[in-house]
Amino acid sequence: METITIESLAGQIGKVATLRGWLQQKRGSKGLFFLVLRDGTGLVQCVVNQQNVEVNSWQNASAATQETSLVVTGKVHADERQIGGVEIQVSSIEVIQIVDDYPITPKAHGVEFLMDRRHLWLRSRRPWAVMRVRNRVIMSIHNFFQERGFLQMDAPLLTKNAVEGTSTLFEIDYFGSSAYLTQSGQLHGEVMAMAFNKIYTFGPVFRAEKSKTRRHLTEFWMIEPEMAFYDLEMNMTLAEDFLIRIASDAVSDCEEELEILERDLEALRRIQAPFPRMTYSEAVELLQSEKTRILVQERQDALQRQQSGLEKERTQNRDVYARSKEWKKRRIDAREIAINTHLDQIEEELRNLPKWWESAVNFEWGKDFGGSDETLLTWHFDRPIIVHHYPEAVKAFYMKRDPEDDRLALGMDVLAPEGFGEIIGGGQRADDLTFLEEQVRRHDLPQEAFEWYFDLRRYGTVPHSGFGLGLERTVAWVCGLEHIRETIPFPRTLGRLAP
Ligand code: 4AD
Ligand code: MG
């Protein structure tokens, strides 16, 4: 049995094709059914004409409900008005399973409802687009590093070492002694860089994040390049080239997906070198500046304009509702839910803006930036920004110090534009044994668990650097998604461990 996928139909014009998939939508009129078939690679409209099919096929078309699994055979016609530019003139339909009461209907549902049914929601249009972008981003990441001679190597997930502080460790019982789920592959990445020069890890990491934010998961995927003989400057340039590659591949290869997500492609096309670079101190100054206050004001005005536009549209829709046809009513219902969701987001941001400005203008040098501080900083620029030379107190124990100012660490974060904030964290590593031993002590970490790590500084230590890119935050930025939970097939958060 030869099956053709929907995405390859454009090359099958004039031929008869057999498609296997699920029914996404059905409309009917006298002697005709229009079935929208989904097979995971795309959607196609299949036209069933009672006069052209056997009774059995006609009955199957009549009985098919949303998500019924089907085998459809028919001739492929070019039709520019249809999704994918083709349409199937059906000659036969077999049913694999008829579905009763599929829980996710074409009308809009709330996110929690959908997340509880994530195992089914993944079949819908929006997750389809997001997961395909995720896949494309993953491919770009591998291509980028492989083309530059980096070796992909895996760090262990079970470990004795805290990497990013002790407050977000998931502790497990390892045959009677304690171990952790890794927070980052970096320490093992450094080992591999000393053995293989330039490597990158690509794996899941775990953090017991006790706060509910739109940027935090408890299980997420991190890509961590680590390079021998790289200083902070080279590290920043690599991060810049890397993000440019991810954005430009997405723009050129995910046009359909990004359109479904209504992503502003111009914003992604602007991701070009050079990214603005500034020290932490310069970033603090910018954050507290009059310029930030003006941006907050402008944002407030823009949101209020959007708000009244949406409210007006909602009123107009309600006015015509009663005299609308059934299909139009359904469209208005869906639009109403979309408008309400959007209005809720706008209201929330309007409530937050004064608080964000307040905490920005009162920011104290030495603190770490909060999510809102990062958001405000990104509004000053149309591309990612790199902030470097942070106070050592807000960075991890392994950071090298600035030789000219001992209060500063040679760390850097890359903040994604349009308010997305930190997607990369990294820096130059401490390469001196005595200093590193001191830091482990100062951070109350168990010395013996780090002996193997100290060996890197005992036997041929060299300057080296690296960074970690959060895959889900990156996908959220590329797709323009409000919340990180939609960027991973099965999100794990404080309140969610299923499905
Ligand atoms: O800044 P972080 O904590 O850096 C490290 O773990 C370093 N060891 C990386 C390195 O230098 N090799 O995390 C790196 C990135 C962040 O910039 C963010 O994109 C992502 O990981 N991230 C999270 N993503 C989702 N949920 C969370 N709870 C995250 N915490 C960090
Ligand atoms: Mg960080």
Side-chain angles (χ1 to χ4, degrees):
M1 61 177 190
E2 204 203 350
T3 302
I4 284 168
T5 54
I6 291 173
E7 69 182 344
S8 64
L9 280 177
Q12 301 288 324
I13 309 282
K15 295 188 190 152
V16 172
T18 295
L19 300 168
R20 285 159 222 277
W22 297 263
L23 180 66
Q24 198 188 52
Q25 249 182 62
K26 182 167 97 176
R27 281 186 297 121
S29 66
K30 250 203 188 120
L32 277 178
F33 278 117
F34 300 91
L35 312 179
V36 177
L37 190 74
R38 170 183 75 75
D39 75 348
T41 74
L43 298 176
V44 67
Q45 172 157 286
C46 305
V47 185
V48 193
N49 188 330
Q50 191 170 13
Q51 299 186 329
N52 301 343
V53 297
E54 310 249 328
V55 177
N56 190 29
S57 286
W58 179 252
Q59 282 167 349
N60 286 342
S62 317
T65 49
Q66 192 189 347
E67 288 306 308
T68 285
S69 38
L70 295 169
V71 182
V72 177
T73 301
K75 195 158 175 197
V76 185
H77 283 265
D79 187 341
E80 278 200 356
R81 293 161 306 167
Q82 299 304 331
I83 8 170
V86 295
E87 188 177 76
I88 306 291
Q89 295 289 344
V90 176
S91 48
S92 84
I93 296 187
E94 272 170 58
V95 162
I96 303 173
Q97 188 193 34
I98 295 275
V99 170
D100 293 326
D101 301 327
Y102 186 66
I104 301 174
T105 58
K107 69 173 188 206
H109 300 281
V111 178
E112 284 306 312
F113 176 94
L114 291 169
M115 272 298 169
D116 287 340
R117 292 156 189 81
R118 183 66 167 168
H119 50 292
L120 301 174
W121 185 26
L122 281 173
R123 302 177 185 193
S124 303
R125 201 75 178 132
R126 187 177 158 91
W128 181 86
V130 177
M131 289 305 135
R132 287 174 59 105
V133 173
R134 180 185 168 105
N135 175 68
R136 186 63 188 90
V137 169
I138 291 171
M139 212 166 102
S140 297
I141 291 169
H142 284 296
N143 290 344
F144 176 84
F145 286 121
Q146 295 289 333
E147 286 163 16
R148 289 169 182 241
F150 285 65
L151 208 66
Q152 198 273 320
M153 293 184 73
D154 302 311
L157 306 189
L158 295 172
T159 174
K160 284 287 213 186
N161 303 94
V163 190
E164 298 298 324
T166 49
S167 64
T168 60
L169 283 170
F170 276 116
E171 196 169 352
I172 57 161
D173 172 56
Y174 194 73
F175 306 115
S177 81
S178 111
Y180 310 113
L181 298 180
T182 193
Q183 297 166 308
S184 150
Q186 181 196 321
L187 305 186
H188 295 88
E190 290 183 49
V191 170
M192 300 186 281
M194 298 304 119
F196 297 88
N197 200 302
K198 290 189 290 186
I199 65 96
Y200 67 108
T201 66
F202 195 138
V205 295
F206 307 89
R207 301 212 183 158
E209 302 279 1
K210 286 172 202 87
S211 58
K212 276 193 176 174
T213 81
R214 58 195 181 88
R215 294 176 183 176
H216 289 94
L217 295 166
T218 53
E219 176 184 280
F220 60 98
W221 289 70
M222 193 151 38
I223 294 87
E224 298 183 83
E226 191 70 33
M227 298 75 65
F229 309 105
Y230 261 53
D231 63 12
L232 179 64
E233 199 70 25
M234 296 160 82
N235 201 27
M236 293 195 278
T237 303
L238 183 75
E240 178 179 286
D241 291 345
F242 184 41
L243 293 180
I244 290 171
R245 174 65 176 273
I246 289 175
S248 81
D249 282 352
V251 170
S252 51
D253 290 354
C254 298
E255 204 186 340
E256 184 186 355
E257 291 84 352
L258 294 171
E259 193 188 316
I260 292 172
L261 298 167
E262 294 174 28
R263 181 64 168 117
D264 171 12
L265 290 184
E266 278 317 305
L268 292 178
R269 289 203 184 97
R270 281 194 293 266
I271 310 307
Q272 301 287 346
F275 294 175
R277 294 181 190 187
M278 70 195 79
T279 64
Y280 166 90
S281 298
E282 288 164 347
V284 172
E285 234 170 76
L286 182 61
L287 186 62
Q288 298 173 322
S289 69
E290 177 65 9
K291 271 180 165 172
T292 303
R293 199 194 58 74
I294 292 168
L295 284 173
V296 170
Q297 185 61 54
E298 284 172 1
R299 177 81 183 166
Q300 215 154 12
D301 296 344
L303 286 173
Q304 275 158 354
R305 276 195 305 274
Q306 273 183 37
Q307 193 176 36
S308 53
L310 288 166
E311 279 164 355
K312 204 163 142 196
E313 185 189 341
R314 191 172 58 181
T315 312
Q316 282 165 354
N317 284 346
R318 285 176 183 170
D319 287 346
V320 299
Y321 195 83
R323 31 191 169 90
S324 296
K325 293 219 167 87
E326 227 15 73
W327 67 268
K328 183 82 192 281
K329 275 185 181 156
R330 260 188 286 139
R331 198 171 283 178
I332 293 176
D333 286 339
R335 182 69 191 143
E336 168 113 10
I337 292 178
I339 290 177
N340 289 344
T341 311
H342 200 161
L343 281 172
D344 285 348
Q345 284 165 2
I346 291 176
E347 257 168 48
E348 192 189 335
E349 195 176 330
L350 282 172
R351 265 197 312 276
N352 284 333
L353 276 172
K355 295 184 226 161
W356 290 359
W357 166 244
E358 168 98 10
S359 85
V361 76
N362 294 317
F363 189 91
E364 281 168 48
W365 192 99
K367 280 196 331 177
D368 202 359
F369 295 125
S372 69
D373 302 318
E374 289 178 3
T375 296
L376 298 187
L377 282 172
T378 69
W379 286 352
H380 288 269
F381 306 95
D382 63 355
R383 59 193 80 191
I385 53 180
I386 309 182
V387 182
H388 54 88
H389 285 80
Y390 279 81
E392 58 85 16
V394 302
K395 289 291 173 193
F397 75 93
Y398 53 71
M399 293 263 179
K400 190 176 174 70
R401 292 287 172 82
D402 178 1
E404 266 137 53
D405 185 345
D406 197 50
R407 296 172 309 158
L408 302 179
L410 299 184
M412 60 113 181
D413 280 2
V414 185
L415 314 183
E418 304 167 84
F420 284 93
E422 182 195 336
I423 55 174
I424 283 181
Q428 189 168 342
R429 319 308 189 189
D431 43 28
D432 178 76
L433 177 63
T434 317
F435 173 77
L436 203 55
E437 285 174 332
E438 238 172 67
Q439 293 312 306
V440 165
R441 225 172 292 127
R442 213 176 58 126
H443 284 82
D444 271 330
L445 296 167
Q447 202 85 9
E448 59 298 347
F450 288 85
E451 282 303 326
W452 61 267
Y453 186 63
F454 296 149
D455 271 356
L456 302 181
R457 280 74 181 170
R458 287 188 182 112
Y459 306 113
T461 192
V462 299
H464 64 289
S465 302
F467 60 80
L469 171 87
L471 178 63
E472 288 73 20
R473 287 195 194 171
T474 305
V475 174
W477 161 57
V478 171
C479 292
L481 301 179
E482 187 68 22
H483 202 294
I484 195 171
R485 67 191 155 201
E486 283 187 70
T487 62
I488 185 163
F490 300 99
R492 296 310 185 228
T493 56
L494 180 62
R496 182 170 295 283
L497 202 53

